Amino acid sequence: MLKKSSLIAWGLVLFVAWNALILFFLWTRPQYLSDHSRLTEEVIRLAQDAEVELEHQKELLHQIYRYSALWNKRKAKNLHLSVQPPTAVLLPQHNQISPDAVLPVVVIACDRSTVRRCLDKLLHYRPSKERFPIIVSQDCGHEETARVIASYGDSIMHIKQPNLSDIPVPTDHRKFQGYYKIARHYRWALSQVFRTFKYQAAIVVEDDLEVAPDFFEYFQASFPLLLADPTLWCISAWNDNGKEQMVDVAHPELLYRTDFFPGLGWLLLSDLWDELEPKWPKAFWDDWMRQPEQRQGRSCIRPEVSRTMTFGRKGVSHGQFFDQYLKFIKLNDRFVPFTQMDLSYLKKNNYEHSFLAQVYDAPQLRVEELQGNQRRELGTVRVQYTTRDSFKAFAKALGVMDDLKSGVPRAGYQGIISFLYRGRRVFLAPPPGWTGYDPSWS
C-alpha cells in the first residue's frame, strides 16, 4: 500500500511539473515571437542601411575614377609639354616613347573556340604580365568562344566589339562581307588599345596563330629599332617564304628588312595608328596597308624563321592558302636571346651597305642551272629577273611566292628576295641600280 502511494505521489509530481513547463512555454511564447520579430526587423533595417551605404561608396568610387582620369590626363599633358625639345623643330612622336614601354598583345578573335591554343602558348611563353598584357578583342558574339576566353580569368583582358550588324556592301562584294567585318573589328580594337587604354605600341596577332618560344624576346629586342629608325613602320613575326625547306633553321637569329607588309603577328606604334585610323579602309585592310599611299617607302623587320604559324584553316578565305602553303610554314623552335644582340645592322643605312653588297657580289646563275643543282662550289648565288613575267616565272620555278602587291614581292627588299633552294642561299633580285617598284606589277 505504501509502495502504491509513493508511485501515485511521484506521478502527481511529474504531472504538475509537466503542466508547469507547458504553462511556462505558453506564457513566454508571445514574448519570444515578439522579440524574434523585432530581431528580424532590425536585421532587415541594417541590411537596407548597408545597401544604401554601398551605393554611396560606389558613387564615391565613380567620382574618384573620373577625377583621377582628368588628373592623369592633365598630368600627362603637362609632362608632354615639359619634355619638348627646346628647338622649334619637334621630334616625331614615336621618339618620345620609352624603349621600356608596355607592349600589349592584342588577339583579334571571332568564332574560333580554338583560340585556346593561341592563348595557351602566349601565356606559356610570356615573360611578364606587366610588360606584355594580353587583350583579347572578340567580334561575332560567338558564345562558346566567349566562354573559352572568359575561362582565363584575370590573366587576360576580354573586350567585345559591340557592333555585330551586317555592313552594307556593293552587290559584287556580298561574298566579301566577312572582310568588311574584319576591317571594322581591327579599327575598333586598335582604337580601344591606343585611344581608350592609351598604350604607346601594340603587338597584333589573330586567334589562329601559335607563337614561338622567343616571340616576346624578338619583339622586345626589335622594338627600339622601330623607335629609332623612321624608315621602319612595323616589326613582323612572319616570313612569307618561310617553308621549312626554304629557311636556314640552323640560323634562326637571322633578321631582314622587307618592303612587303607581312602582318601575321606585328608590332606598331601609336603614332602610326594616328596616321592610319582617319583613312582606315572598309575592307581588305592588309592589302590596303601594302599600297604606296600607306607604306610611304617604309619597311618592316621580318625573321628568317617565322615566330608565328597559323593553324586556322577555317576563315573568311575558306582555306584558300592554308592547304597549299600556310600549313607548311616553319615555326621557330629555338630560343634566340635577341635582347643580348646588337641589331643596329638592321637600320637602313647599315643594312643597305652590307645587304646590297652581299646580294650583288654573289655570282649570277640561271634558273635552269640552279634547278639542275649545278655550280655548287659557288655557294650563295643570285638569280636575276628584269620583268614582271620573268619574276613570276622564276619565283614559281623556285618555290617562292609569286604574287605582287603594288609591285612589291612578298618578303622583298628593294625587289630582292632571300631564301634557300636545295640548301643554298639564293637571292632573286632585279638588276643592279634598282629604281623603285612599279605598281603595275600586280
Side-chain angles (χ1 to χ4, degrees):
M1 187 70 180
L2 181 62
K3 186 176 181 180
K4 187 175 181 179
S5 298
S6 297
L7 288 173
I8 292 171
W10 277 110
L12 287 170
V13 169
L14 289 172
F15 178 79
V16 171
W18 175 251
N19 282 278
L21 287 171
I22 291 174
L23 287 171
F24 179 79
F25 176 77
L26 291 173
W27 288 338
T28 59
R29 187 168 180 265
Q31 181 67 30
Y32 168 77
L33 290 175
S34 178
D35 290 344
H36 181 72
S37 177
R38 284 198 296 271
L39 180 61
T40 302
E41 291 174 359
E42 182 67 12
V43 169
I44 292 173
R45 186 185 65 78
L46 289 172
Q48 290 172 339
D49 290 346
E51 186 176 359
V52 171
E53 182 62 21
L54 284 173
E55 288 298 322
H56 179 63
Q57 294 294 331
K58 188 189 294 185
E59 179 59 29
L60 285 176
L61 285 173
H62 282 309
Q63 291 182 27
I64 291 170
Y65 177 81
R66 287 196 294 269
Y67 286 119
S68 175
L70 289 172
W71 169 251
N72 288 335
K73 186 175 181 180
R74 181 178 296 177
K75 184 178 178 182
K77 183 178 180 181
N78 291 339
L79 180 62
H80 175 72
L81 291 173
S82 67
V83 297
Q84 292 297 317
T87 59
V89 179
L90 300 181
L91 295 174
Q93 181 182 341
H94 64 248
N95 284 327
Q96 299 167 12
I97 300 175
S98 167
D100 297 321
V102 173
L103 301 179
V105 179
V106 185
V107 181
I108 304 296
C110 180
D111 59 355
R112 293 188 181 104
S113 58
T114 51
V115 66
R116 184 180 299 279
R117 179 173 171 182
C118 171
L119 294 176
D120 283 349
K121 286 299 176 72
L122 284 170
L123 290 170
H124 179 67
Y125 294 131
R126 179 171 67 172
S128 166
K129 179 179 179 180
E130 291 70 32
R131 181 79 197 275
F132 299 101
I134 296 173
I135 303 170
V136 184
S137 179
Q138 187 189 0
D139 199 3
C140 308
H142 191 249
E143 291 185 5
E144 182 183 354
T145 301
R147 284 194 297 270
V148 170
I149 298 168
S151 71
Y152 287 87
D154 63 1
S155 61
I156 65 170
M157 180 188 297
H158 185 191
I159 59 176
K160 298 180 181 180
Q161 201 280 110
N163 185 1
L164 304 181
S165 64
D166 283 340
I167 300 173
V169 301
T171 303
D172 59 342
H173 272 207
R174 285 177 181 171
K175 64 180 179 180
F176 300 129
Q177 174 78 214
Y179 291 99
Y180 282 79
K181 289 185 176 181
I182 289 172
R184 177 176 67 185
H185 185 195
Y186 263 87
R187 181 172 193 163
W188 181 84
L190 291 176
S191 293
Q192 290 296 304
V193 170
F194 294 123
R195 302 283 181 260
T196 304
F197 304 140
K198 306 294 184 183
Y199 285 112
Q200 297 176 315
I203 303 166
V204 183
V205 301
E206 295 187 0
D207 56 357
D208 63 344
L209 290 182
E210 181 176 328
V211 303
D214 56 356
F215 174 86
F216 293 97
E217 175 80 0
Y218 169 65
F219 282 111
Q220 183 174 339
S222 55
F223 177 50
L225 281 173
L226 194 58
L227 299 178
D229 188 346
T231 68
L232 291 174
W233 71 325
C234 90
I235 308 293
S236 175
W238 183 260
N239 177 3
D240 278 288
N241 292 302
K243 292 182 180 180
E244 185 164 8
Q245 70 272 24
M246 298 180 68
V247 295
D248 189 350
V249 293
H251 293 283
E253 75 281 0
L254 294 175
L255 304 177
Y256 301 84
R257 292 176 70 102
T258 176
D259 297 323
F260 190 91
F261 172 73
L264 294 172
W266 56 291
L267 169 66
L268 75 158
L269 302 178
S270 57
D271 63 342
L272 179 60
W273 185 242
D274 291 340
E275 173 190 324
L276 297 178
E277 184 190 25
K279 56 179 181 176
W280 191 252
K282 294 182 178 180
F284 311 108
W285 70 270
D286 47 352
D287 282 343
W288 174 83
M289 289 276 288
R290 293 160 184 154
Q291 295 173 358
E293 294 81 5
Q294 280 63 254
R295 191 172 71 82
Q296 296 181 15
R298 294 170 292 191
S299 304
C300 296
I301 300 297
R302 60 95 174 168
E304 169 82 1
V305 187
S306 290
R307 264 57 187 188
T308 56
M309 64 164 286
T310 178
F311 55 83
R313 187 179 185 278
K314 172 189 172 185
V316 292
S317 62
H318 305 293
Q320 178 182 0
F321 290 117
F322 185 82
D323 291 332
Q324 300 175 5
Y325 178 73
L326 295 177
K327 69 179 181 181
F328 300 110
I329 293 292
K330 168 65 177 175
L331 178 67
N332 179 56
D333 56 9
R334 295 168 55 185
F335 187 91
V336 176
F338 284 114
T339 55
Q340 300 174 29
M341 298 178 177
D342 181 3
L343 302 183
S344 61
Y345 70 92
L346 291 163
K347 292 182 179 180
K348 183 177 175 65
N349 291 337
N350 298 341
Y351 188 80
E352 290 188 356
H353 177 74
S354 60
F355 180 70
L356 296 181
Q358 183 183 7
V359 171
Y360 290 104
D361 286 347
Q364 187 174 333
L365 208 62
R366 292 184 294 112
V367 170
E368 296 78 11
E369 294 175 303
L370 198 56
Q371 289 177 313
N373 207 23
Q374 300 174 24
R375 308 295 300 275
R376 294 288 304 184
E377 74 280 1
L378 295 177
T380 298
V381 295
R382 172 170 50 95
V383 173
Q384 184 169 292
Y385 67 89
T386 54
T387 65
R388 173 186 176 274
D389 290 341
S390 63
F391 166 78
K392 283 186 165 289
F394 296 164
K396 188 173 183 179
L398 299 174
V400 173
M401 294 287 282
D402 65 346
D403 61 324
L404 300 146
K405 303 293 184 181
S406 298
V408 184
R410 291 182 183 267
Y413 185 72
Q414 294 198 9
I416 304 161
I417 305 171
S418 175
F419 60 98
L420 291 190
Y421 183 81
R422 296 188 177 181
R424 68 200 298 188
R425 177 64 59 185
V426 177
F427 297 116
L428 180 59
W434 179 83
T435 57
Y437 296 107
D438 184 345
S440 68
W441 287 24
S442 294

